[in-house]
């Protein structure tokens, strides 16, 4: 049996099949290139769903992580560690937020944000002001509560009873927001809906909603699990909109490939949790934080300007490709709308043959390349993408 077949059989027999898989096993990678067990080469336009910000096995990142790994891998949040404290300081300095809570993934970060919003409102107004407004077509995670927060019916099945207190709004409809404001403690939004199909939310609406929420003391939670950490060409996407959120969540790309998430609290919410009210065993793990410190260190203004430029380059080339109707997104978060006869899943499958890893988001093909992708890697990936489009 070849290596792939062996791995595939082990997985099929032993891993719970709660998600789909492509018939490929990746063995190793460097920056935006990776290889499967047959030595076939792929350009990675996925970065592990927006996770490997600095690509595969970046030298500086590897050094930072292994240096920490050889000193202390974990101690629990009962004690102070240097990477955790330094990372929190860096995040606060670079965002203007006031405090950070570290978690392990996007859903858990959003759970923390939801708890914080409800506690803020409970402390100030008492019971009965616990409703959280989110947008239709959003995605906020897979726990029971973040499924409730997700504004898509397909996610509200099987796992009853769901957490109460979520209402879904149409993006762009300010009157609807106003009509649902009574009893609400927070509005939680993605600025570009990622899983929903790389759909940007209108800037005027975001600004008007932020202003309205501020007037009503409704907290604005921005879910930057996918849009954060340089993805759109700014450290956080909220900077593109000129708004000041009360809570920001980050995950995916923050650790450069290690599981880490953060809830950033602004002035109103920085003191909302007292000791014992919120925690998680692995939160602020020193190895993950050391990786994140390297990621943030590299994402300076010049690097972020390059991300925006690379995004523009990819967009221009993709717009000229066969079967492409439009391109959405910002920076290196790209959604490709196809002619209706062409299915995004078929294009992704064809990409595996032509040598490029791609994602879907609803009917679109989605690209989330590593932020460090080189122009040579982009051109190689674009060529394979064009071939996949012709085949798909
Ligand atoms: C991926 C994602 C999540 C969930 O993150 P997990 O780490 O899978 O729990 C939440 N919100 C957004 C916007 C995401 O893209």
């Amino acid at each position: 049996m070849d290596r792939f077949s062996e791995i595939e059989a082990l997985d099929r027999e032993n891993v719970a099949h709660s998600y789909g898989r492509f018939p490929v096993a990746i063995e190793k990678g460097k920056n935006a290139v990776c290889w499967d067990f047959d030595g076939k080469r792929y350009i990675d336009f996925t970065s592990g769903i927006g996770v490997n910000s600095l690509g595969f096995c970046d030298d500086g990142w590897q050094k930072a992580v292994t240096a920490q790994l050889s000193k202390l891998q974990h101690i629990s949040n009962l004690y102070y560690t240097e990477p955790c404290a330094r990372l929190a300081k860096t995040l606060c300095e670079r965002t203007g937020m006031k405090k950070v809570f570290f978690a392990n993934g996007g859903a858990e970060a959003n759970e923390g944000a939801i708890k914080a919003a409800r506690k803020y409102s409970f402390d100030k107004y008492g019971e009965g002001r616990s409703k959280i407004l989110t947008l239709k077509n959003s995605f906020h995670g897979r726990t029971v509560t973040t499924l409730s927060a997700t504004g898509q019916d397909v996610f509200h099945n099987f796992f009853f009873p769901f957490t109460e207190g979520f209402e879904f709004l149409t993006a762009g409809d300010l009157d609807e927001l106003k009509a649902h404001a009574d009893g609400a403690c927070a509005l939680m939004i993605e600025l570009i809906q990622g899983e929903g199909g790389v759909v940007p939310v209108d800037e005027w609406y975001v600004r008007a909603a932020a202003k309205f929420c501020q007037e009503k003391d409704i907290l604005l939670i921005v879910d930057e699990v996918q849009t954060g950490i340089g993805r759109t060409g700014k450290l956080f996407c909220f900077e593109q909109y000129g708004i000041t959120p009360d809570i920001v969540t980050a995950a995916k790309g923050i650790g450069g490939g290690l599981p880490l998430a953060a809830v950033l609290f602004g002035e109103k919410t920085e003191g909302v949790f007292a000791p014992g009210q919120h925690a998680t065993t692995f939160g602020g793990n020193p190895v993950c934080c050391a990786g994140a410190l390297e990621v943030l260190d590299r994402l300076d203004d010049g690097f972020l300007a390059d991300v925006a430029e690379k995004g523009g380059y990819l967009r221009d080339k993709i717009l000229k490709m066969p079967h492409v109707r439009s391109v959405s997104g910002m920076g290196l978060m790209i959604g490709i709308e196809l002619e209706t006869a062409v299915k995004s899943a078929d294009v992704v499958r064809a990409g595996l043959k032509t040598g490029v890893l791609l994602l879907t988001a609803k009917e679109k093909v989605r690209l989330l390349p590593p932020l460090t992708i080189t122009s040579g890697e982009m051109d190689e990936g674009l060529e394979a993408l064009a071939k996949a489009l012709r085949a798909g």
Side-chain angles (χ1 to χ4, degrees), residues 55-300:
F56 294 112
C57 302
D58 175 83
D59 292 339
W61 179 85
Q62 224 174 357
K63 216 168 136 194
V65 168
T66 50
Q68 180 58 42
L69 197 54
S70 60
K71 280 193 285 193
L72 182 83
Q73 85 275 30
H74 177 77
I75 186 66
S76 93
N77 52 18
L78 296 171
Y79 305 95
Y80 298 98
T81 65
E82 190 182 1
C84 168
R86 284 185 48 218
L87 178 60
K89 177 177 177 347
T90 303
L91 284 167
C92 289
E93 264 178 8
R94 294 188 57 181
T95 59
M97 303 298 281
K98 301 297 174 200
K99 294 277 193 299
V100 184
F101 173 83
F102 290 112
N104 306 288
E108 193 192 2
N110 286 338
E111 287 264 354
I114 289 163
K115 284 173 72 176
R118 287 186 167 173
K119 173 103 187 343
Y120 171 83
S121 196
F122 180 85
D123 289 347
K124 203 162 163 184
Y125 302 99
E127 282 181 55
R129 194 178 174 278
S130 56
K131 206 166 73 176
I132 304 213
L133 308 173
T134 70
L135 296 181
K136 288 175 189 159
N137 196 48
S138 56
F139 181 78
H140 296 296
R142 298 276 191 170
T143 62
V144 171
T145 296
T146 55
L147 282 175
S148 287
T150 292
Q152 301 186 51
D153 288 343
V154 290
F155 290 101
H156 304 151
N157 206 351
F158 316 124
F159 313 116
F160 305 102
F162 285 94
T163 308
E164 293 172 23
F166 292 90
E167 287 177 11
F168 311 117
L169 306 177
T170 310
D173 189 341
L174 201 62
D175 291 335
E176 195 186 13
L177 166 61
K178 290 178 180 168
H180 283 74
D182 258 6
C185 65
L187 169 67
M188 176 154 96
I189 58 172
E190 295 162 275
L191 295 170
I192 303 170
Q193 296 179 331
E195 303 305 311
V198 195
V199 181
V201 180
D202 274 345
E203 188 170 332
W204 74 265
Y205 172 76
V206 171
R207 286 178 183 233
K211 186 165 170 280
F212 174 77
C213 286
Q214 195 175 15
E215 285 161 13
K216 300 285 178 193
D217 200 18
I218 295 170
L219 298 176
L220 178 62
I221 304 171
V222 180
D223 177 348
E224 295 242 24
V225 169
Q226 195 159 147
T227 53
I229 315 299
R231 180 55 53 191
T232 69
K234 298 270 186 198
L235 188 59
F236 283 97
C237 190
F238 76 77
E239 300 166 50
Q240 313 265 20
Y241 287 74
I243 53 166
T244 307
D246 297 296
I247 300 176
V248 177
T249 56
K252 292 192 165 88
I254 191 171
L258 292 172
L260 182 68
V263 188
L264 312 184
F265 297 112
E267 252 156 39
K268 282 186 181 179
T269 50
E270 62 171 312
V272 76
F273 290 128
Q277 290 176 346
H278 194 56
T280 182
T281 299
F282 286 103
N285 171 275
V287 177
C288 301
C289 288
L293 274 166
E294 176 69 17
V295 169
L296 288 178
D297 203 37
R298 297 275 285 283
L299 268 54
D300 60 16

